[in-house]
PDB file of all heavy atoms in Angstrom:
ATOM      1  N   PHE A 237      40.873  24.980 226.818  1.00  0.00           N
ATOM      2  CA  PHE A 237      40.263  23.873 226.024  1.00  0.00           C
ATOM      3  C   PHE A 237      39.895  24.405 224.629  1.00  0.00           C
ATOM      4  O   PHE A 237      40.136  23.620 223.601  1.00  0.00           O
ATOM      5  CB  PHE A 237      39.087  23.388 226.729  1.00  0.00           C
ATOM      6  CG  PHE A 237      38.262  22.347 225.903  1.00  0.00           C
ATOM      7  CD1 PHE A 237      38.675  21.031 225.972  1.00  0.00           C
ATOM      8  CD2 PHE A 237      37.197  22.746 225.181  1.00  0.00           C
ATOM      9  CE1 PHE A 237      37.989  20.114 225.161  1.00  0.00           C
ATOM     10  CE2 PHE A 237      36.441  21.883 224.578  1.00  0.00           C
ATOM     11  CZ  PHE A 237      36.822  20.518 224.506  1.00  0.00           C
ATOM     12  N   PHE A 239      41.326  26.804 222.993  1.00  0.00           N
ATOM     13  CA  PHE A 239      42.584  26.961 222.228  1.00  0.00           C
ATOM     14  C   PHE A 239      43.177  25.680 221.633  1.00  0.00           C
ATOM     15  O   PHE A 239      43.454  25.534 220.459  1.00  0.00           O
ATOM     16  CB  PHE A 239      43.683  27.671 223.162  1.00  0.00           C
ATOM     17  CG  PHE A 239      45.102  27.759 222.503  1.00  0.00           C
ATOM     18  CD1 PHE A 239      45.268  28.662 221.524  1.00  0.00           C
ATOM     19  CD2 PHE A 239      46.111  26.796 222.827  1.00  0.00           C
ATOM     20  CE1 PHE A 239      46.596  28.622 220.886  1.00  0.00           C
ATOM     21  CE2 PHE A 239      47.298  26.748 222.268  1.00  0.00           C
ATOM     22  CZ  PHE A 239      47.498  27.734 221.171  1.00  0.00           C
ATOM     23  N   SER A 251      46.311  18.742 207.577  1.00  0.00           N
ATOM     24  CA  SER A 251      46.482  17.352 207.237  1.00  0.00           C
ATOM     25  C   SER A 251      45.771  16.929 205.903  1.00  0.00           C
ATOM     26  O   SER A 251      46.232  16.229 205.020  1.00  0.00           O
ATOM     27  CB  SER A 251      46.252  16.356 208.379  1.00  0.00           C
ATOM     28  OG  SER A 251      47.025  16.657 209.461  1.00  0.00           O
ATOM     29  N   PHE A 253      44.836  18.938 203.455  1.00  0.00           N
ATOM     30  CA  PHE A 253      45.449  19.497 202.376  1.00  0.00           C
ATOM     31  C   PHE A 253      46.688  18.804 201.981  1.00  0.00           C
ATOM     32  O   PHE A 253      47.014  18.493 200.823  1.00  0.00           O
ATOM     33  CB  PHE A 253      45.776  21.015 202.720  1.00  0.00           C
ATOM     34  CG  PHE A 253      44.756  21.864 202.520  1.00  0.00           C
ATOM     35  CD1 PHE A 253      43.799  22.167 203.624  1.00  0.00           C
ATOM     36  CD2 PHE A 253      44.336  22.712 201.321  1.00  0.00           C
ATOM     37  CE1 PHE A 253      42.786  23.005 203.478  1.00  0.00           C
ATOM     38  CE2 PHE A 253      43.375  23.459 201.151  1.00  0.00           C
ATOM     39  CZ  PHE A 253      42.557  23.664 202.216  1.00  0.00           C
ATOM     40  N   GLY A 259      48.796  13.003 197.169  1.00  0.00           N
ATOM     41  CA  GLY A 259      48.156  11.918 196.189  1.00  0.00           C
ATOM     42  C   GLY A 259      47.877  12.553 194.899  1.00  0.00           C
ATOM     43  O   GLY A 259      47.143  11.883 194.111  1.00  0.00           O
ATOM     44  N   HIS A 285      18.122  25.356 198.126  1.00  0.00           N
ATOM     45  CA  HIS A 285      18.358  25.385 196.677  1.00  0.00           C
ATOM     46  C   HIS A 285      19.926  25.559 196.498  1.00  0.00           C
ATOM     47  O   HIS A 285      20.625  26.239 197.461  1.00  0.00           O
ATOM     48  CB  HIS A 285      17.679  26.527 196.070  1.00  0.00           C
ATOM     49  CG  HIS A 285      17.806  27.898 196.824  1.00  0.00           C
ATOM     50  ND1 HIS A 285      17.084  28.215 198.061  1.00  0.00           N
ATOM     51  CD2 HIS A 285      18.600  28.992 196.541  1.00  0.00           C
ATOM     52  CE1 HIS A 285      17.543  29.314 198.441  1.00  0.00           C
ATOM     53  NE2 HIS A 285      18.323  29.903 197.583  1.00  0.00           N
ATOM     54  N   ALA A 295      38.541  27.183 185.185  1.00  0.00           N
ATOM     55  CA  ALA A 295      37.212  27.688 184.782  1.00  0.00           C
ATOM     56  C   ALA A 295      37.208  27.536 183.242  1.00  0.00           C
ATOM     57  O   ALA A 295      38.214  27.540 182.594  1.00  0.00           O
ATOM     58  CB  ALA A 295      37.076  29.236 185.123  1.00  0.00           C
ATOM     59  N   LEU A 298      33.636  22.699 181.278  1.00  0.00           N
ATOM     60  CA  LEU A 298      32.654  22.299 181.972  1.00  0.00           C
ATOM     61  C   LEU A 298      32.586  20.719 182.178  1.00  0.00           C
ATOM     62  O   LEU A 298      32.842  19.971 181.172  1.00  0.00           O
ATOM     63  CB  LEU A 298      31.271  22.621 181.488  1.00  0.00           C
ATOM     64  CG  LEU A 298      30.014  22.115 182.197  1.00  0.00           C
ATOM     65  CD1 LEU A 298      29.871  22.769 183.486  1.00  0.00           C
ATOM     66  CD2 LEU A 298      28.776  22.369 181.368  1.00  0.00           C
ATOM     67  N   GLU A 299      32.762  20.303 183.387  1.00  0.00           N
ATOM     68  CA  GLU A 299      32.610  18.954 183.676  1.00  0.00           C
ATOM     69  C   GLU A 299      31.113  18.470 184.081  1.00  0.00           C
ATOM     70  O   GLU A 299      30.575  17.451 183.550  1.00  0.00           O
ATOM     71  CB  GLU A 299      33.502  18.575 184.789  1.00  0.00           C
ATOM     72  CG  GLU A 299      33.485  16.991 185.271  1.00  0.00           C
ATOM     73  CD  GLU A 299      34.272  16.725 186.419  1.00  0.00           C
ATOM     74  OE1 GLU A 299      34.926  17.609 187.028  1.00  0.00           O
ATOM     75  OE2 GLU A 299      34.380  15.460 186.775  1.00  0.00           O
ATOM     76  N   GLY A 306      14.938  21.601 197.206  1.00  0.00           N
ATOM     77  CA  GLY A 306      14.011  20.708 197.990  1.00  0.00           C
ATOM     78  C   GLY A 306      13.307  21.468 199.179  1.00  0.00           C
ATOM     79  O   GLY A 306      13.628  22.569 199.350  1.00  0.00           O
ATOM     80  N   LYS A 337      33.672  15.691 173.696  1.00  0.00           N
ATOM     81  CA  LYS A 337      32.868  15.402 174.729  1.00  0.00           C
ATOM     82  C   LYS A 337      31.568  14.791 174.381  1.00  0.00           C
ATOM     83  O   LYS A 337      30.950  15.063 173.258  1.00  0.00           O
ATOM     84  CB  LYS A 337      32.551  16.686 175.603  1.00  0.00           C
ATOM     85  CG  LYS A 337      33.647  17.211 176.308  1.00  0.00           C
ATOM     86  CD  LYS A 337      33.203  18.464 177.230  1.00  0.00           C
ATOM     87  CE  LYS A 337      34.339  19.092 178.011  1.00  0.00           C
ATOM     88  NZ  LYS A 337      33.885  20.269 178.787  1.00  0.00           N
ATOM     89  N   GLU A 342      20.943  13.721 183.868  1.00  0.00           N
ATOM     90  CA  GLU A 342      20.418  12.966 184.945  1.00  0.00           C
ATOM     91  C   GLU A 342      19.255  13.769 185.700  1.00  0.00           C
ATOM     92  O   GLU A 342      19.513  14.907 185.975  1.00  0.00           O
ATOM     93  CB  GLU A 342      21.568  12.558 185.892  1.00  0.00           C
ATOM     94  CG  GLU A 342      21.005  11.795 187.230  1.00  0.00           C
ATOM     95  CD  GLU A 342      22.086  11.582 188.126  1.00  0.00           C
ATOM     96  OE1 GLU A 342      23.343  11.665 187.833  1.00  0.00           O
ATOM     97  OE2 GLU A 342      21.818  11.132 189.185  1.00  0.00           O
ATOM     98  N   ARG A 344      17.191  13.509 189.329  1.00  0.00           N
ATOM     99  CA  ARG A 344      17.538  12.786 190.597  1.00  0.00           C
ATOM    100  C   ARG A 344      16.487  13.240 191.573  1.00  0.00           C
ATOM    101  O   ARG A 344      16.298  14.404 191.802  1.00  0.00           O
ATOM    102  CB  ARG A 344      18.962  13.150 191.123  1.00  0.00           C
ATOM    103  CG  ARG A 344      19.407  12.430 192.329  1.00  0.00           C
ATOM    104  CD  ARG A 344      20.893  12.849 192.745  1.00  0.00           C
ATOM    105  NE  ARG A 344      21.790  12.608 191.609  1.00  0.00           N
ATOM    106  CZ  ARG A 344      23.057  13.030 191.686  1.00  0.00           C
ATOM    107  NH1 ARG A 344      23.512  13.685 192.771  1.00  0.00           N
ATOM    108  NH2 ARG A 344      23.921  12.729 190.790  1.00  0.00           N
ATOM    109  N   LEU A 359      31.336  23.062 215.635  1.00  0.00           N
ATOM    110  CA  LEU A 359      30.006  22.694 215.123  1.00  0.00           C
ATOM    111  C   LEU A 359      30.158  21.539 214.202  1.00  0.00           C
ATOM    112  O   LEU A 359      30.932  21.360 213.418  1.00  0.00           O
ATOM    113  CB  LEU A 359      29.467  24.041 214.378  1.00  0.00           C
ATOM    114  CG  LEU A 359      29.533  25.264 215.060  1.00  0.00           C
ATOM    115  CD1 LEU A 359      29.200  26.369 214.068  1.00  0.00           C
ATOM    116  CD2 LEU A 359      28.458  25.339 216.207  1.00  0.00           C
ATOM    117  N   ARG A 380      24.432   8.133 200.702  1.00  0.00           N
ATOM    118  CA  ARG A 380      25.487   8.910 201.033  1.00  0.00           C
ATOM    119  C   ARG A 380      25.479   9.321 202.518  1.00  0.00           C
ATOM    120  O   ARG A 380      24.476   9.522 203.071  1.00  0.00           O
ATOM    121  CB  ARG A 380      25.488  10.249 200.176  1.00  0.00           C
ATOM    122  CG  ARG A 380      25.451  10.056 198.784  1.00  0.00           C
ATOM    123  CD  ARG A 380      25.149  11.253 197.874  1.00  0.00           C
ATOM    124  NE  ARG A 380      25.904  12.405 198.146  1.00  0.00           N
ATOM    125  CZ  ARG A 380      25.823  13.478 197.447  1.00  0.00           C
ATOM    126  NH1 ARG A 380      25.073  13.504 196.371  1.00  0.00           N
ATOM    127  NH2 ARG A 380      26.594  14.566 197.764  1.00  0.00           N
ATOM    128  N   GLY A 438      38.373  26.136 199.489  1.00  0.00           N
ATOM    129  CA  GLY A 438      38.883  24.893 199.960  1.00  0.00           C
ATOM    130  C   GLY A 438      39.485  24.039 198.968  1.00  0.00           C
ATOM    131  O   GLY A 438      39.540  24.347 197.712  1.00  0.00           O
ATOM    132  N   TYR A 460      18.171  33.050 204.197  1.00  0.00           N
ATOM    133  CA  TYR A 460      17.198  34.072 204.051  1.00  0.00           C
ATOM    134  C   TYR A 460      16.147  33.941 204.983  1.00  0.00           C
ATOM    135  O   TYR A 460      15.776  32.916 205.357  1.00  0.00           O
ATOM    136  CB  TYR A 460      16.836  34.151 202.553  1.00  0.00           C
ATOM    137  CG  TYR A 460      17.963  34.201 201.634  1.00  0.00           C
ATOM    138  CD1 TYR A 460      18.347  33.070 200.921  1.00  0.00           C
ATOM    139  CD2 TYR A 460      18.651  35.454 201.232  1.00  0.00           C
ATOM    140  CE1 TYR A 460      19.344  33.079 200.158  1.00  0.00           C
ATOM    141  CE2 TYR A 460      19.672  35.472 200.317  1.00  0.00           C
ATOM    142  CZ  TYR A 460      20.032  34.301 199.824  1.00  0.00           C
ATOM    143  OH  TYR A 460      20.998  34.317 198.840  1.00  0.00           O
TER     144      TYR A 460
END
Side-chain angles (χ1 to χ4, degrees):
F237 175 79
F239 171 79
S251 298
F253 279 88
H285 49 286
L298 179 65
E299 178 184 7
K337 290 181 177 180
E342 175 183 349
R344 185 183 299 176
L359 307 171
R380 299 168 56 169
Y460 309 95

